């Protein structure tokens, strides 16, 4: 073991007929019940919501981003103000992405070297360098419960040769990051570090990366580089190519995904943790999630609709407001529209995860999941067909 506290992760129940599992991850700021969906708070804020509103949706853990927070207001500033939890008044666990994804999303502003990633700031063009050591130092200053290693997320498409080359760098950085985390006492103090499996669309590279990371004995593991433009079947294939080669008694996190059906499918492949900007991003564009697929609240047919977004949903939005009112807010350009729709959407994802945990415990996850996905996808198909008429 790499010095992490004993018994920090428990597999409580596994589902028959799938690799789905019900687990518990213990962190410095509380226990996380999995499967879990983590709202994204890139810059120390889940967009349009207060921390109290996020907590009331049922969220157990949120994300912050090393790259963005180090740019503004700066890791040293946040540390001097008591760390990210105190700074943003979020008392539950926080996972921080390393900034490696920004090497993909800001590809025109960065240069990858053997030692790290050099960025031109998207704010003012100033030079920024991320190395495995500096990445850990930033996340230590933030006080992250879970720190992600610095990695390279290859684009889609990319040749097998190119992905193999970047995988070698990712594995070297992972080893360096973990070594720093052990030497500095970061892990021994109760923080967790997750290695990240890369490999693009190449199953052999995914397996190789997963096996080599497993040998390093990280406290947890993530599957990165999915949902970067590849078709959904390919994305699911790469998750399936990774999870069997990661340790059973360690958490598994699929980064940056996904739709509700995608998440349920990945739970059945043995994944535990998920994050995505989708609930809040779509909320700001007037889209709400329901068990029958998404709805666009600005449609004329909701102008006189007195029903809530989802009948019986136990969130502030559905308990208090009609579709007609939410449509009015969106059409009028009121900021409250983004807040109320974001509350609903994040709660929708949290409720889905609660149900998934419940059905794993009762032993009927596979049947329930297939039925849930079928209903949702039928609603989405009907909505798209209606749109083309």
């Amino acid at each position: 073991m790499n010095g992490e506290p004993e018994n920090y992760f428990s597999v409580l129940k596994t589902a028959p007929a799938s690799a789905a599992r019900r687990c518990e991850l213990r962190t410095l700021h509380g226990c996380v019940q999995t499967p879990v969906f983590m709202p994204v708070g890139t810059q120390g804020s889940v967009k349009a919501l207060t921390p109290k509103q996020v907590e009331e949706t049922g969220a157990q853990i949120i994300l912050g981003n090393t790259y963005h927070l180090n740019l503004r207001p700066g890791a040293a500033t946040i540390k001097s103000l008591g760390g990210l939890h105190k700074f943003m008044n979020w008392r539950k666990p926080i996972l921080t992405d390393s900034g490696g994804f920004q090497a993909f999303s800001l590809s025109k502003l960065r240069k990858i070297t053997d030692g790290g990633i050099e960025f031109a700031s998207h704010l003012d063009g100033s030079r920024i360098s991320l190395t495995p050591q500096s990445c850990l130092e930033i996340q230590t200053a933030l006080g992250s419960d879970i720190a992600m290693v610095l990695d390279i997320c290859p684009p889609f498409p990319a040749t097998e040769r190119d992905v193999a080359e970047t995988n070698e760098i990712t594995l070297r950085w992972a080893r360096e990051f973990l070594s720093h985390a052990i030497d500095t006492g970061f892990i021994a103090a109760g923080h967790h570090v997750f290695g990240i499996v890369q490999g693009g669309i190449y199953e052999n590279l995914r397996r190789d990366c997963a096996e080599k990371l497993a040998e390093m004995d990280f406290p947890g593991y993530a599957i990165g580089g999915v949902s970067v433009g590849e078709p959904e079947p390919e994305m699911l294939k790469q998750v399936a190519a990774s999870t069997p080669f990661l340790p059973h008694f360690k958490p598994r996190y699929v980064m940056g995904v996904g739709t509700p059906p995608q998440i349920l499918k990945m739970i059945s492949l043995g994944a535990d943790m998920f994050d995505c900007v989708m609930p809040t991003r779509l909320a700001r564009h007037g889209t709400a999630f329901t068990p029958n697929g998404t709805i666009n609240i600005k449609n004329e047919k909701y102008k006189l609709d007195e029903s809530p977004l989802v009948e019986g949903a136990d969130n502030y939005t559905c308990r208090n407001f009609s579709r007609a009112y939410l449509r009015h807010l969106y059409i009028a350009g009121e900021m409250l529209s983004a807040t109320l729709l974001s509350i609903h959407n994040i709660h929708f994802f949290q409720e889905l995860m609660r149900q998934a945990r419940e059905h794993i415990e009762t032993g009927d996850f596979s049947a329930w999941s297939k039925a849930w996905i079928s209903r949702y996808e039928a609603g989405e198909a009907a909505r798209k067909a209606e749109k083309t008429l």
Side-chain angles (χ1 to χ4, degrees):
M1 301 294 283
N2 282 316
E4 67 264 27
E6 295 182 4
N7 302 319
Y8 68 95
F9 185 73
S10 303
V11 178
L12 305 177
K13 182 86 172 182
T14 55
S18 85
R21 66 230 202 117
R22 166 85 173 85
C23 307
E24 182 176 90
L25 171 63
R26 286 168 283 283
T27 78
L28 290 173
H29 288 86
C31 292
V32 176
Q33 306 299 323
T34 76
V36 64
F37 178 82
M38 304 178 284
V40 177
T42 299
Q43 302 192 77
S45 167
V46 177
K47 291 188 185 299
L49 300 180
T50 68
K52 182 175 176 60
Q53 289 170 326
V54 176
E55 185 173 3
E56 287 175 348
T57 67
Q60 304 176 66
I61 174 174
I62 63 172
L63 266 71
N65 183 273
T66 296
Y67 168 85
H68 288 285
L69 290 169
N70 192 47
L71 270 186
R72 185 174 53 190
T77 296
I78 293 174
K79 181 179 181 181
S80 71
L81 294 169
L84 185 56
H85 292 84
K86 183 178 179 182
F87 185 57
M88 66 176 294
N89 195 28
W90 176 259
R91 304 305 179 185
K92 292 188 173 186
I94 297 176
L95 181 152
T96 46
D97 192 3
S98 66
F101 182 75
Q102 276 63 51
F104 166 80
S105 62
L106 301 174
S107 59
K108 294 181 180 179
L109 299 174
R110 57 80 174 147
K111 177 183 178 183
I112 297 174
T113 68
D114 283 346
I117 308 171
E118 297 177 359
F119 292 95
S121 167
H122 69 284
L123 299 177
D124 59 12
S126 61
R127 305 304 301 179
I128 307 155
S129 177
L130 275 179
T131 67
Q133 181 172 343
S134 69
C135 186
L136 174 65
E137 289 170 351
I138 294 166
Q139 293 182 83
T140 300
L142 296 176
S144 310
D145 293 278
I146 302 171
M148 305 303 299
V149 300
L150 187 64
D151 67 325
I152 300 174
C153 174
F156 173 83
T159 67
E160 184 173 358
R161 179 177 178 179
D162 286 345
V163 176
E165 289 177 356
T166 58
N167 262 22
E168 287 303 311
I169 299 174
T170 285
L171 286 166
R172 186 166 66 251
W173 288 355
R175 193 172 292 108
E176 292 177 21
F177 193 104
L178 182 60
S179 178
H180 292 312
I182 295 169
D183 292 345
T184 60
F186 183 78
I187 294 177
H191 305 273
H192 303 311
V193 173
F194 283 18
I196 303 176
V197 177
Q198 294 289 356
I201 60 169
Y202 304 102
E203 294 177 64
N204 59 315
L205 296 182
R206 289 278 177 185
R207 175 173 180 170
D208 179 71
C209 190
E211 289 180 334
K212 288 177 178 175
L213 287 171
E215 289 173 1
M216 297 181 204
D217 196 22
F218 278 88
Y221 298 87
I223 299 168
V226 296
S227 192
V228 292
E230 78 279 15
E232 180 181 304
E234 188 64 61
M235 174 179 66
L236 294 170
K237 187 165 77 171
Q238 296 315 314
V239 174
S242 304
T243 51
F245 305 103
L246 296 173
H248 180 70
F249 289 102
K250 298 287 183 76
R252 304 167 183 158
Y253 160 36
V254 183
M255 305 179 74
V257 296
T259 66
Q262 288 171 352
I263 291 176
L264 290 180
K265 291 172 185 177
M266 291 181 192
I267 290 173
S268 69
L269 295 174
D272 307 306
M273 304 168 68
F274 310 90
D275 79 281
C276 191
V277 298
M278 189 182 301
T280 48
R281 178 173 290 171
L282 291 187
R284 296 193 301 277
H285 291 86
T287 297
F289 288 88
T290 82
N292 296 309
T294 56
I295 64 173
N296 190 329
I297 201 64
K298 62 177 175 281
N299 286 351
E300 180 73 17
K301 65 181 179 179
Y302 301 121
K303 186 175 183 178
L304 299 176
D305 191 336
E306 295 182 275
S307 61
L309 290 170
V310 175
E311 198 71 50
D314 189 20
N315 64 68
Y316 177 75
T317 303
C318 289
R319 289 196 305 267
N320 293 282
F321 304 104
S322 67
R323 295 181 177 187
Y325 179 67
L326 295 170
R327 179 182 183 275
H328 157 68
L329 292 177
Y330 185 85
I331 296 298
E334 289 291 333
M335 290 187 290
L336 185 57
S337 168
T339 296
L340 293 179
L341 289 173
S342 293
I343 287 171
H344 167 78
N345 282 353
I346 293 180
H347 175 264
F348 183 86
F349 276 65
Q350 299 303 332
E351 176 61 16
L352 180 62
M353 295 300 95
R354 187 196 66 76
Q355 291 180 32
R357 294 192 295 268
E358 179 181 278
H359 286 281
I360 293 171
E361 288 174 354
T362 57
D364 64 345
F365 173 81
S366 293
W368 168 80
S369 176
K370 288 176 183 176
W372 197 100
I373 291 170
S374 178
R375 176 184 175 185
Y376 184 95
E377 291 183 340
E380 284 289 89
R383 179 182 63 81
K384 290 175 182 175
E386 181 182 274
K387 193 174 181 180
T388 61
L389 294 178

